[in-house]
Every structure is written in structure tokens, then in C-alpha cells.
Amino acid sequence: MSDPQNGTVFRFESGTLGRFGHRKIKFLRAANTGYLVEFLPDPEARNVPETLRGTRPDIEFIGKKILPHSELYGGLLDGSLEIDEDDHVFIDHSQSFKPELVASLAERPAQDLILRYASVMLMREICDEKGIITKTRREIRKIEAEILTRLPHRIDELNAKVDGRRRHPFRRRKTPQYSTTAQTLLEWDKKLRGQGFSGLADNRYLSGNRLCKLHPVVARIVRQKIDELVTLEQIPIAAVHSGISDAVKQERQDQEDALSRREAEGEDISEAEWEALQKLRPPSVGTVSKWVASMAPLEAMLRGRGPDWLLSNCLSVGLGMQVERAGQITMIDEYTADVFAIIPFAFLIYWLGEQKVAELGIDGSKPLRVVVSIMIDAYTGCILGLQIRATADPDLAKRTIMMSLMDKTKIAAACGAEGAWDHLLRPEKILHDAGSAYVACSTDMLCASLRIENMTAPKAKAFIRGLMERVFRTLHETLLAKIPGKAFSDTVKRGDYDAEAEAILTLDDLIQVITIWVVDIYHNSSGFGRDGLTPNDLWRHEMAHGMGCRPVPDLKTMTHVFGTTLKRKARQTGIRVMHADYSSKDFMKEYLRKPNRDFRIRWWEEDISQIQVEIRPNEWMPLEVMDRRARGISVYEWDLLRRHEYLKRNPADDEVRQRAQSRIDAMLEEKIATSRKVARKALTAEEVARWEEETLRYYATPSTEISSDQSHGLYGAPVRPATQESAVEPEDDQPQRKPTRKQPGRRTKPNWQSGTME
């Protein structure tokens, strides 16, 4: 458990509801050492007999109590603290209001978009209040008056969210006051559900020719004069218009002289040519202004202000990041490591899968460059998540986000780091570039289910994500560039250097090197923080004296969001996953109603303490593991634990067992670190079933376990006695198999003697 002075301190909002140790609680306010929590009445307290009242303070206590930060921290990680976050169903984030999009539009389309969104949301809210399930035109017309009454206030609320992101927030605007017909409201609602928030914005204001129609010759002259005159001298529009008028008049005079000369030579000039000449008229001042304004904003500022002005004012227009607390904004990006690593081909098959290895054309004959994905906190500069994979895809982003929500101290210790890597939080916003892994639908749904805002950084604004780029540059210059097998940016710099032949690091070595660099060097270097403080100093100060950070999701949420979906049948002992049983009293009631049904479950390999089972559509129930040894550990630790017990149950060759025990002890921490630091492909239901089948021999079951007093093994095979004492014949009073007589019309169940075939 982390020390609250040095580890993570979570921030809970007042009024938050949850369960702590199976007791319903309510957070009231923050205290000096923790939070003041009110324990709500427990229904189980009424079942305590009158004579035993006062002996069960765990369920009888009702009142207020201060829970320290350390208990809250440990409760979220081990699953004893659960925060109510509604049903764990993916949220359709595409229908939420996006003020950044509205602020980027012109005034008229922005107000139209606000009007449509406010009208649709009011229609939905009023229908929910009045119990209207089927939305028809007749039903919508009945509530039209109430929609119009509440619409102005809702529009003002949405405009207030947009004003802070507008370049000119105090400009005058004409707020619409009325909605449209019921049929149009239903069409807007259909667009919002099917196309998202952006579906309500149309391109009507861009249709048609936005500029005044000009003669092709006049349009060519206008473009030419604008390129010549709109420069750093900042010539007024009137002067630009005067130059364009003179050029058009001169062009018209030249064409008129040419026609007159041709007519004087006896050539017959058609009326169409004389009419075309009459269309060569100078444009008005307003038309010239529109043509100048049609240039891109950056081009207009570059022409009128120059590049120096753009560079000196790029941060004063609201494009920089304003970060005030830890976890407010985190940045995520991937970096192709500038060093070749040796990866065993057998591990590549497990890591990527046979199909992906075949697509990439990897045959295991040469080293590879891997992709390093990093998530960093913009306030403290601490690295929250780090994953390694052969390619960048949405699953790599998912594993990196998952790692930022977990305590990584075990990983740091397994890799040989001296410091603790206990930096974990739930980000408020994730900032990234427009990479395909981060704009994918699965990543958006993941962030929505975790209540995290997924943001895309503006294009061509590298200074906004400068912290992330500096981390990658430092990782390359101070660490990877010193390792043999360095990759160069081009063939000229590489020369005759054979990076693949010089590669010396295996994948495990690369993981350990980067982990030690992050924990012991990066987090303790003042150059990576600010004001002369290291990232660790900033983290400890923020946790001790600042606002803290958002609490990470509880075990129930983590299991549902990051777990693998399986289908299992329940038994009287519960649901079995990886040879561990999960059950509860409430679940057994659901099981007995329909014993043969298939349950859909969510199982998380990083913590097998509990699973989530869907008892009804979109209604999930948590089930705790029955074996106490499996609580709070990952499936990899559980598998190694069962291997230890397998060796203990088979002491035939003590020397071999001791050597194997030493090898397993040496590999334990390293394997756990490798499995958690490397972003493997997501586990599927078929892989879990295959894994269970392969590891079955390490598990003792009633069918395979033979006690010392049994004379026959599985299928009646004699058991070779280890000692003379164990070879004695069974006594007469030992229970024997009783012969049964088959009765007509009835099927009898034989009584089997222990040690025989089941």
C-alpha cells in the first residue's frame, strides 16, 4: 500500500456514493488525513438477534467516520471499495455536446447547431418526464409549448460553454427563440442518434457561389492584384480596389481597340463578342473585400503581419495548455525505438498471433524495431503508462491507458529499479495526435466508459505537445543511442553500420533498461520537471498539499472495461474460470431459476479477484473468487502459484524439484514484469479455454488426486506403494462396494468406493 505522503491521494466529490467492505457509504467532505464518510444503514443489521446486539459493529455501525487516504487507496486496488458509476454500459460519447466544434463555426451555423441540439435534448427530457415511450408527431405537438418555454434558458447555457472557446466571446449574436415542427424535431433526433453531434451541423451556409460572379478575365485580374498588393505594407482595401479597377479598365480598352481594328479591316464582329466586352466591368469595393477575406486566416495573417508576428503571438490566442492539477491533462503517443531488439520467434507467435506474424512477414531471422507507447501527466511530468509492441494499434493504446490506472511498483521491482513506480490516476482528459489508434471507435468507447475526455491536439501545433516530444528525444539521446544496434534516420547517416547485426538486447533486456531509466533516472531528474523540481517532487507535493487526483476505477469497473468476454455454464460451486470458482448467494438464486443457461462474463487477467456476470441484459453482478489464495493477484501469478503446489505434491525426485523450484523463483518476478509491460494481443475466449486445458495438469481435482490410503488409482490402476506401511491391505471395516439389484422401471445410482473410477 502506498504511503499517502509519497504515493497517490485520490480526490472524491462530495455526495459520491459507494460500498466499502460491503457497506453503503456516502462521501461528505475532505479531511486532513482522509475523507469524512457516512455509513448508511445495513439491511443485514435487522437479522442480528436481540441478545447479540452490539457484537457486530461491522454491520450495525451507523454514523460518520474518517477514512484515511491509505485505506481508500488500498480499497480501490483490492476491490473492497466500489464507487457507483451507473451501469457499466458503453456511453455513446458521439451524442454529447462538443463546444470546440461549435466555437470553430461561423455565427449563423453555430447558433443553428445550438438550437437543434437544445431542442432535441429538451424533447428527450420532457418525454422521459411524462413517460412518453414512442415519440410520434402527435405526442411531440402536445409538448411543443413546454419545449418553447424552456428553450431560451437551455440555449443560454450552451452558449456559455462555447463563449470561453471563441476567439471573440463578447461579440453580439442573435439568439434563436423558436424551434420548428414536430416532424423536423424527429428528423434531428434521428440524425443525432445515427450520425452523432456533427450530424446536426449542415453545410447549407457553404452551398452555392459565396463570391460575386465575375467575368473570368476580371477574376484573373482580381487574383493577380491581390497577390501583388496584399503584403506586409498592409495596403488599404480602397487602394487594392483602385488597382484592380485600373487593370480592368485597361484590359477592356485593349479588347475594345482590338475589336475596332478588326472591324476596320472589314471583319464582321458578332453581337456576342460585343456583349462579352460589356461584361468587363470593375468589381465593387465589397466584392474585393470578400475576395481578400476568402484567403485562409493563416495566409492573411502571414501576408499582413509576417512570420515573426505569428511566432510571437501563437501562445496569446489561447492555443497553449493551461494545466492546474495532476491528471487534468495527460498526453499519449507512440515512438518507434531507435534500436533493434532480439525477439524469440516463439514469443512473437504468442505476442502477436500467427495471423499477424504472417501479415507482417516476420520469419524470426533478424532483429526488429518495436513501438514504445507512453502516457505522461502534463502537470507533474510523471510517466503513468508504458507499453511495448511490434505495431501501433488501438489495443496498444488500450493497454497503455490500463497501465496508467494500475500500481506499477511490482513491475519496477521485478526489473531491478530501486524507486517505486506508484504513480496512478484516472485522467480527466487525454490529449493525442490524430493517430488511427487514438481516433478509433474502440478507443473513444473506452474513454467514454471510464469518464475520460478524448481530445485531439490541433494540427501543425507541435509546441502544445512539446513535453511528449521532449521525452522521446531524451529517451533516444540519453539511453537508446548508447546501445549497440542503433537505427539511423536515413542510409546516408547509417553508412556501413549494420544495426541488425550489432543488436545485443533481447526484448526482456529492453523492457528492464527502459523501466529502470523511467523509475530511477527520469522521475528523479530536475530537467524533466519545472522550477528546478523533479517529476517525483512535483508528484509528492501535489499529493501532499494539492488537490489530489481523480480516483482510479474500482475493480468492478476495471474488470468490465478491460476484461475478456467469455461464455460459461454455472455449476453448484459457481462459475469456473482458470480453475478458480466464483460464486455468491445472490448469484445462486439466479442460477437455480435456470441451471442450464449460458452466462456471459467479463474476466480480467490482471486481477482475478472477481468476475462480472450478466444475469439479465445490461445488468451485471460481481462474483468473488472462492479461493483466498487467488485474491489480489494476476492470472500469471496464479499460474505460477499452482506450479509451486504441483512440485510440492510430487516429491519423487527431490533434487529435480529443488532445481525447478530455484528456476521458477528466479523467473517469477521477471515473467510478471514481462507479461505486464509488453502489450500482448487481447485474450480471446478460445485462448483462455486452451490455456485452461494446458495448465490442467498443475491442478488437483477429485479425479486426479490420490490420497495415501488408496490402493488403486484412476481407472482402477494399482498404485505402487512408496513404503511398506502404505502397502498394507485394507481392513475389513473399510467401506466396500455394495451390490445393488436392478429394479424394473427404476434406475439405481451405485455407491462407488473411493479410489476407483468415478
Side-chain angles (χ1 to χ4, degrees):
M1 186 175 296
S2 177
D3 184 1
Q5 297 299 325
N6 299 325
T8 303
V9 173
F10 295 131
R11 180 180 70 251
F12 297 91
E13 300 294 337
S14 299
T16 301
L17 299 177
R19 299 181 68 88
F20 184 72
H22 304 288
R23 287 293 307 275
K24 290 186 178 181
I25 61 174
K26 180 179 181 181
F27 287 85
L28 299 180
R29 61 176 177 83
N32 292 332
T33 59
Y35 275 85
L36 181 63
V37 175
E38 180 182 4
F39 284 80
L40 304 179
D42 192 346
E44 293 293 333
R46 293 176 295 184
N47 299 330
V48 178
E50 187 68 28
T51 57
L52 298 179
R53 293 294 173 86
T55 61
R56 296 291 307 276
D58 55 332
I59 61 175
E60 291 183 281
F61 174 76
I62 300 175
K64 301 176 182 178
K65 183 180 179 181
I66 293 180
L67 294 181
H69 290 297
S70 57
E71 291 189 17
L72 298 173
Y73 177 91
L76 280 175
L77 297 187
D78 61 22
S80 58
L81 174 60
E82 297 180 1
I83 304 300
D84 291 343
E85 299 191 37
D86 302 326
D87 294 333
H88 298 287
V89 181
F90 287 126
I91 301 173
D92 188 3
H93 187 62
S94 63
Q95 297 189 39
S96 60
F97 185 75
K98 295 177 173 56
E100 295 85 358
L101 174 61
V102 181
S104 64
L105 300 177
E107 184 61 28
R108 179 181 173 184
Q111 292 302 323
D112 289 344
L113 183 57
I114 291 176
L115 169 66
R116 297 177 180 185
Y117 184 79
S119 302
V120 172
M121 298 308 295
L122 281 175
M123 179 193 69
R124 293 181 180 179
E125 294 175 8
I126 296 174
C127 288
D128 292 340
E129 294 172 1
K130 297 184 177 298
I132 301 175
I133 300 177
T134 304
K135 301 180 180 65
T136 61
R137 284 182 291 178
R138 177 178 300 178
E139 298 293 341
I140 300 304
R141 279 196 292 266
K142 293 179 181 178
I143 62 175
E144 184 178 359
E146 189 171 355
I147 294 177
L148 295 177
T149 303
R150 298 163 59 175
L151 186 60
H153 178 68
R154 181 61 57 88
I155 292 177
D156 291 339
E157 290 180 352
L158 297 179
N159 271 313
K161 296 180 180 180
V162 179
D163 282 343
R165 295 171 172 82
R166 284 192 171 110
R167 184 180 295 273
H168 306 289
F170 302 106
R171 63 185 176 186
R172 296 180 60 185
R173 60 174 181 266
K174 183 179 180 181
T175 303
Q177 300 293 333
Y178 301 101
S179 182
T180 182
T181 62
Q183 180 63 30
T184 308
L185 265 177
L186 294 176
E187 292 177 359
W188 290 347
D189 181 66
K190 183 178 180 181
K191 285 185 177 181
L192 183 60
R193 294 182 185 276
Q195 305 176 18
F197 180 75
S198 59
L200 294 180
D202 55 27
N203 295 326
R204 181 187 59 204
Y205 64 100
L206 296 177
S207 61
N209 189 358
R210 303 304 298 173
L211 300 176
C212 296
K213 296 181 180 180
L214 298 177
H215 192 277
V217 177
V218 178
R220 176 180 55 81
I221 294 174
V222 170
R223 283 193 294 266
Q224 180 182 357
K225 289 299 179 180
I226 287 179
D227 290 338
E228 294 177 0
L229 301 178
V230 179
T231 58
L232 287 174
E233 285 77 7
Q234 299 184 9
I235 299 177
I237 295 297
V240 177
H241 174 260
S242 177
I244 293 174
S245 299
D246 294 341
V248 172
K249 292 178 181 178
Q250 183 63 40
E251 179 67 22
R252 178 174 178 173
Q253 185 64 40
D254 293 342
Q255 292 190 15
E256 185 176 359
D257 294 343
L259 291 178
S260 300
R261 187 166 48 257
R262 289 166 54 193
E263 188 177 17
E265 293 175 356
E267 183 178 351
D268 189 14
I269 306 299
S270 63
E271 293 293 333
E273 292 185 88
W274 289 108
E275 291 178 359
L277 181 62
Q278 300 299 323
K279 295 181 180 180
L280 289 177
R281 296 188 297 269
S284 63
V285 177
T287 301
V288 175
S289 300
K290 291 181 180 180
W291 276 74
V292 173
S294 65
M295 291 189 303
L298 287 180
E299 182 184 356
M301 286 189 290
L302 179 63
R303 288 172 176 268
R305 301 285 186 173
D308 295 337
W309 185 90
L310 289 178
L311 293 176
S312 62
N313 291 273
C314 60
L315 294 178
S316 62
V317 295
L319 294 179
M321 287 195 306
Q322 302 295 330
V323 188
E324 301 175 351
R325 57 188 177 273
Q328 182 181 7
I329 296 179
T330 59
M331 293 179 285
I332 185 173
D333 202 354
E334 69 272 354
Y335 162 73
T336 303
D338 293 323
V339 65
F340 284 86
I342 302 172
I343 306 175
F345 186 72
F347 184 77
L348 276 175
I349 298 293
Y350 162 74
W351 189 16
L352 300 177
E354 297 182 0
Q355 182 178 359
K356 190 66 175 181
V357 170
E359 292 177 358
L360 297 176
I362 302 175
D363 56 2
S365 61
K366 58 177 65 175
L368 299 174
R369 294 176 65 183
V370 295
V371 177
V372 181
S373 177
I374 293 179
M375 174 174 281
I376 187 171
D377 178 38
Y379 183 79
T380 62
C382 293
I383 294 180
L384 304 176
L386 190 151
Q387 289 284 306
I388 298 176
R389 195 164 188 161
T391 56
D393 54 13
D395 191 61
L396 177 63
K398 174 183 177 180
R399 303 286 300 187
T400 307
I401 296 174
M402 182 185 72
M403 191 175 183
S404 67
L405 306 174
M406 300 170 55
D407 190 351
K408 300 162 283 290
T409 302
K410 288 184 179 180
I411 299 175
C415 293
E418 298 181 8
W421 198 359
D422 54 357
H423 311 83
L424 70 158
L425 51 80
R426 174 162 38 177
E428 301 176 21
K429 299 179 181 179
I430 293 180
L431 184 68
H432 55 79
D433 57 6
S436 59
Y438 308 119
V439 299
C441 180
S442 59
T443 305
D444 198 16
M445 294 172 65
L446 171 68
C447 294
S449 61
L450 294 173
R451 274 69 171 175
I452 299 175
E453 185 175 352
N454 194 9
M455 299 173 53
T456 302
K459 296 182 179 179
K461 302 292 185 298
F463 59 87
I464 294 182
R465 302 173 61 254
L467 178 61
M468 178 63 72
E469 301 300 333
R470 186 176 64 170
V471 170
F472 288 147
R473 184 189 64 185
T474 306
L475 176 64
H476 167 69
E477 294 178 352
T478 63
L479 180 65
L480 300 181
K482 303 176 183 179
I483 301 174
K486 171 187 175 183
F488 290 86
S489 58
D490 52 55
T491 56
V492 177
K493 293 183 179 180
R494 182 177 60 190
D496 296 333
Y497 182 76
D498 192 351
E500 298 177 1
E502 298 294 334
I504 62 172
L505 285 185
T506 63
L507 181 61
D508 294 345
D509 297 333
L510 181 62
I511 291 172
Q512 295 180 3
V513 167
I514 295 180
T515 302
I516 295 175
W517 179 83
V518 169
V519 177
D520 293 338
I521 298 178
Y522 174 82
H523 283 165
N524 295 315
S525 300
S526 58
F528 303 121
R530 65 174 189 275
D531 301 332
L533 299 176
T534 66
N536 268 339
D537 293 336
L538 293 171
W539 181 271
R540 287 191 293 264
H541 183 273
E542 178 66 12
M543 295 300 109
H545 306 287
M547 301 176 60
C549 58
R550 286 183 71 193
V552 297
D554 52 33
L555 182 58
K556 177 181 179 182
T557 307
M558 295 285 283
T559 302
H560 190 89
V561 174
F562 295 106
T564 304
T565 301
L566 306 173
K567 280 191 176 182
R568 294 295 167 96
K569 286 186 179 293
R571 303 181 298 180
Q572 293 183 355
T573 57
I575 294 180
R576 193 171 183 83
V577 183
M578 282 302 298
H579 311 290
D581 291 324
Y582 298 82
S583 183
S584 68
K585 294 182 180 179
D586 295 334
F587 173 71
M588 295 311 298
K589 297 178 182 178
E590 298 290 337
Y591 162 70
L592 294 175
R593 294 174 182 172
K594 192 176 181 182
N596 296 326
R597 62 175 289 194
D598 288 334
F599 289 95
R600 196 161 67 104
I601 66 173
R602 296 286 287 178
W603 173 79
W604 189 34
E605 69 272 13
E606 295 294 341
D607 194 334
I608 60 175
S609 299
Q610 65 173 226
I611 62 173
Q612 303 293 320
V613 56
E614 189 180 29
I615 57 177
R616 279 177 288 274
N618 294 333
E619 184 176 348
W620 297 82
M621 175 186 294
L623 300 183
E624 294 184 356
V625 64
M626 295 291 100
D627 195 337
R628 293 185 176 274
R629 298 170 300 175
R631 296 183 180 178
I633 63 176
S634 66
V635 68
Y636 316 105
E637 296 170 298
W638 173 248
D639 186 51
L640 290 171
L641 177 64
R642 304 303 297 178
R643 291 172 184 262
H644 280 293
E645 295 186 352
Y646 173 76
L647 292 176
K648 292 179 181 179
R649 293 196 304 268
N650 296 270
D653 192 342
D654 187 66
E655 184 179 355
V656 175
R657 183 180 65 84
Q658 291 296 337
R659 289 199 302 267
Q661 183 79 17
S662 301
R663 288 197 302 270
I664 290 179
D665 290 339
M667 294 168 55
L668 175 61
E669 294 181 349
E670 180 183 355
K671 290 300 181 182
I672 294 174
T674 303
S675 61
R676 290 190 175 184
K677 284 302 296 297
V678 177
R680 311 170 319 280
K681 62 190 180 77
L683 290 177
T684 61
E686 292 77 10
E687 292 171 347
V688 174
R690 178 173 53 81
W691 195 358
E692 290 177 329
E693 184 178 355
E694 291 177 355
T695 58
L696 181 61
R697 67 190 186 95
Y698 298 112
Y699 294 81
T701 63
S703 301
T704 60
E705 188 173 11
I706 302 176
S707 60
S708 59
D709 58 348
Q710 293 175 350
S711 60
H712 290 75
L714 191 62
Y715 303 111
V719 178
R720 182 177 182 180
T723 61
Q724 294 295 330
E725 290 78 4
S726 62
V728 297
E729 294 294 329
E731 299 179 0
D732 295 337
D733 57 348
Q734 189 172 2
Q736 302 292 330
R737 177 181 176 183
K738 298 180 180 180
T740 57
R741 179 178 300 174
K742 184 176 181 181
Q743 299 179 4
R746 183 178 180 181
R747 186 176 182 180
T748 60
K749 181 178 180 182
N751 296 324
W752 297 107
Q753 178 185 359
S754 60
T756 60
M757 176 180 175
E758 294 185 357

